[in-house]
């Protein structure tokens, strides 16, 4: 059996300089829990010295359009507001499904709008929009954009707006929807079948090639891409193209959880899926049947400087998570690099949503279940391979999610899912991590 090309530690550190972002987390020691974090007197979010947070919205409040702020805020993206408005727009997912109507967007007696994905027995999941002042980072307004979808987990940016993903295949769900950041009222919910029906987690579009990359939250999931027939054409219900799964050239059907260390690189290509719009949740079986690689719960995904970063939340020897980077080369293949993995759950506990700062730090939101570490953190992985604590949920053991920077990097937005809070964090990010000022 052939094996992937494995780089010696020193060789990796040298070679990775040319790759930009030379991470090597491996077995390096993580500072003791909460090292560098100051207790929040309000008991909400512990942060380093010089940082502060504001709560933008709370579950159950009234939005500007009269609907209720839904619970379970999850994935989120930040977009520039209209030119001249000095605003930012947050597109925020809500991971709700049937049976959680008490946390949905409707106050008692409020009717489900006709734009809902499933007006009869509609799920309470969906997407809301929060407009923020770009100078003060205070809330300006908020409104409901998408409703009737289910378990809107993560998503990602595209040239046409926010892609929101359903992490379920039950009852006609399992799709990706496109949401307009300019929508000040509820929009028609229209799925994009060409992106597949599966346990979607996140999606992001390469703005140069217009290829969409997608993760799948399954223990035996694949990593996917959609190559459009008409690059640049807005994604929608009529989109056509090829849905494909990533394959390691030298080892078809490779389990990416086995025999891997940070710095390992793999030459990869893509295999076509014969039934991309199958209704039977068979996409991963179609992929592995043609030699696609297997990832342990693909979750957060982010595009940065020509590469796609994504997490395998339960990958690695301790099921503590892996961070991968795929760099395309030509139209058919590319290179897959394992940037980091948790060799110990005290090092990193199941990274979920991620984003890359404009200066290169990767922010990872934890969604762990290690009983030795009941608090969830935001961790920063610097280009030099150091891990820094950025925040700790001091309110509960609920996951942190929705991490995204403002375009200028001055503010980081995040969600505290089970607590129903959307917050903004400001402070000397680059000085804190040593990557800039």
């Amino acid at each position: 059996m052939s094996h992937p090309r494995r780089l010696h530690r020193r060789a990796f550190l040298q070679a990775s300089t040319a790759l930009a972002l030379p991470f090597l987390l491996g077995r390096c020691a993580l500072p003791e829990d909460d090292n560098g974090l100051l207790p929040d007197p309000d008991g909400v979010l512990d942060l380093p010295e010089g940082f502060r947070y504001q709560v933008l919205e709370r579950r159950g409040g009234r939005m500007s359009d009269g609907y209720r702020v839904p619970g379970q805020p999850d994935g989120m993206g930040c977009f520039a507001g209209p030119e001249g408005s000095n605003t930012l727009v947050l597109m925020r997912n809500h991971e709700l499904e049937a049976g959680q109507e008490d946390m949905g967007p409707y106050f008692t007696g409020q009717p489900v709008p006709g734009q809902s994905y499933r007006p009869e027995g509609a799920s309470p999941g969906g997407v809301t929009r929060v407009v923020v002042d770009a100078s003060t980072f205070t809330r300006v307004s908020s409104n409901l954009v998408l409703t009737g979808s289910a378990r809107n987990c993560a998503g990602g940016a595209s040239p046409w707006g926010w892609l929101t993903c359903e992490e379920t295949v039950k009852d006609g769900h399992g799709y990706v929807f496109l949401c307009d950041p300019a929508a000040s009222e509820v929009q028609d919910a229209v799925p994009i079948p060409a992106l597949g029906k599966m346990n979607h987690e996140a999606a992001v579009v390469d703005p140069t090639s217009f290829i969409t990359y997608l993760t799948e939250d399954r223990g035996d999931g694949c990593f996917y891409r959609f190559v459009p027939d008409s690059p640049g054409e807005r994604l929608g219900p009529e989109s056509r193209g090829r849905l494909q799964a990533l394959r390691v050239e030298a080892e078809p059907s490779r389990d990416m959880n086995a025999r891997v260390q940070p710095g390992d690189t793999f030459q990869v290509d893509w295999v076509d899926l014969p039934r991309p719009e199958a209704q039977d949740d068979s996409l991963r079986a179609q992929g592995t049947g043609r030699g696609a690689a297997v990832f342990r719960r693909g979750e957060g995904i982010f595009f940065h400087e020509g590469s796609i970063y994504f997490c395998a939340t339960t990958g690695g020897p301790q099921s503590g998570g892996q961070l991968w980077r795929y760099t395309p080369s030509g139209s058919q293949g590319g290179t897959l690099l394992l940037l980091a993995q948790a060799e110990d759950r005290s090092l990193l506990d199941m990274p979920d949503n991620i984003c890359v700062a404009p200066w290169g730090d990767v922010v990872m939101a934890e969604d762990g279940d290690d009983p030795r570490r009941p608090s969830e953190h935001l961790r920063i992985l610097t280009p030099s391979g150091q891990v820094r604590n950025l925040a700790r949920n001091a309110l509960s053991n609920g996951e942190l999610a929705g991490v995204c920077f403002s375009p200028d990097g001055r503010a980081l937005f995040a969600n505290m899912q089970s607590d129903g809070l959307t917050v903004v964090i400001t402070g000397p990010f680059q000085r804190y991590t040593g990557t800039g000022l």
Side-chain angles (χ1 to χ4, degrees):
M1 179 182 293
S2 58
H3 293 281
R5 178 161 51 92
R6 182 165 293 173
L7 301 177
H8 185 272
R9 176 185 174 91
R10 177 176 297 175
F12 170 66
L13 290 173
Q14 292 173 344
S16 58
T17 301
L19 295 172
L21 298 175
F23 303 115
L24 187 60
L25 179 56
R27 299 179 182 275
C28 70
L30 184 74
E32 291 183 7
D33 277 5
D34 310 326
N35 183 39
L37 301 182
L38 303 178
D40 176 15
D42 294 325
V44 176
L45 198 64
D46 297 341
L47 297 170
E49 184 175 2
F51 287 79
R52 64 186 298 269
Y53 73 89
Q54 300 178 64
V55 175
L56 294 176
E57 284 203 319
R58 300 175 183 271
R59 177 185 65 216
R62 183 178 295 272
M63 294 191 289
S64 304
D65 60 357
Y67 290 110
R68 182 169 60 184
V69 177
Q72 294 292 99
D74 203 310
M76 192 160 60
C78 183
F79 297 81
E83 187 174 354
S85 68
N86 194 40
T87 60
L88 303 172
V89 175
L90 299 176
M91 300 298 284
R92 177 179 59 188
N93 285 355
H94 297 274
E95 192 179 7
L96 297 168
E97 59 186 335
Q100 296 180 301
E101 286 76 12
D102 60 330
M103 289 194 288
Y106 313 120
F107 289 104
T108 301
Q110 201 167 24
V112 176
Q115 296 91 341
S116 175
Y117 176 48
R118 294 175 64 82
E120 299 300 324
S123 166
V127 175
T128 55
R129 170 179 175 265
V130 183
V131 180
V132 177
D133 185 293
S135 297
T136 63
F137 304 118
T138 54
R139 174 190 175 277
V140 175
S141 65
S142 60
N143 63 276
L144 186 62
V145 174
L146 174 72
T147 186
S149 51
R151 296 199 65 180
N152 296 73
C153 198
S158 81
W160 315 283
W162 174 246
L163 295 173
T164 181
C165 301
E166 293 186 307
E167 191 195 349
T168 180
V169 294
K170 296 179 180 178
D171 302 325
H173 295 283
Y175 293 106
V176 177
F177 299 77
L178 177 64
C179 297
D180 185 357
S184 59
E185 57 186 19
V186 183
Q187 302 292 293
D188 288 330
V190 183
I192 308 172
L195 298 184
K197 177 183 170 69
M198 61 176 164
N199 228 48
H200 282 283
E201 174 72 22
V204 71
V205 175
D206 180 334
T208 301
S209 67
F210 298 100
I211 292 173
T212 304
Y213 293 88
L214 308 109
T215 54
E216 181 179 27
D217 194 350
R218 295 283 196 188
D220 57 348
C222 296
F223 181 56
Y224 302 90
R225 75 175 187 179
F226 172 72
V227 183
D229 288 344
S230 302
E233 186 175 82
R234 181 185 178 91
L235 284 171
E238 304 304 320
S239 293
R240 294 291 178 265
R242 289 175 294 153
L243 189 62
Q244 301 176 314
L246 180 142
R247 174 179 65 180
V248 175
E249 290 183 353
E251 295 184 68
S253 302
R254 194 186 198 286
D255 181 351
M256 304 311 294
N257 198 59
R259 310 185 318 280
V260 289
Q261 294 293 328
D264 287 356
T265 60
F266 305 85
Q267 296 303 310
V268 301
D269 58 12
W270 298 84
V271 295
D272 290 336
L273 303 179
R275 295 189 299 125
E277 298 183 20
Q279 298 295 299
D280 57 1
D281 191 26
S282 67
L283 289 181
R284 63 195 186 281
Q286 293 179 46
T288 54
R290 293 192 165 204
V294 174
F295 295 88
R296 303 292 176 90
R297 292 190 56 196
E299 294 208 285
I301 192 169
F302 200 87
F303 177 86
H304 180 73
E305 295 187 349
S307 294
I308 295 87
Y309 298 78
F310 67 97
C311 286
T313 293
T314 55
Q318 300 299 321
S319 300
Q322 297 170 317
L323 178 63
W324 294 90
R325 183 178 73 198
Y326 168 70
T327 303
S329 177
S331 61
Q332 299 301 319
T335 302
L336 183 68
L337 167 66
L338 179 61
L339 292 173
Q341 72 179 3
E343 306 281 348
D344 189 302
R345 294 291 284 273
S346 65
L347 180 70
L348 185 66
D349 195 15
M350 298 174 64
D352 189 339
N353 290 178
I354 61 170
C355 70
V356 182
W359 52 87
D361 290 339
V362 177
V363 178
M364 303 173 288
E366 290 184 330
D367 182 18
D369 58 6
D370 187 344
R372 298 171 299 173
R373 299 177 59 249
S375 297
E376 302 303 330
H377 292 72
L378 297 182
R379 309 283 195 189
I380 293 178
L381 178 61
T382 72
S384 63
Q386 298 300 306
V387 178
R388 301 296 301 271
N389 298 316
L390 178 61
R392 184 184 78 90
N393 184 349
L395 193 58
S396 74
N397 62 357
E399 71 172 279
L400 295 166
V403 287
C404 55
F405 276 97
S406 59
D408 61 8
R410 293 173 53 224
L412 178 71
F413 301 95
N415 289 317
M416 300 173 68
Q417 190 184 79
S418 62
D419 310 298
L421 300 180
T422 297
V423 302
V424 56
I425 300 169
T426 54
F429 292 103
Q430 291 177 265
R431 185 161 62 245
Y432 178 66
T433 61
T435 53
L437 302 177

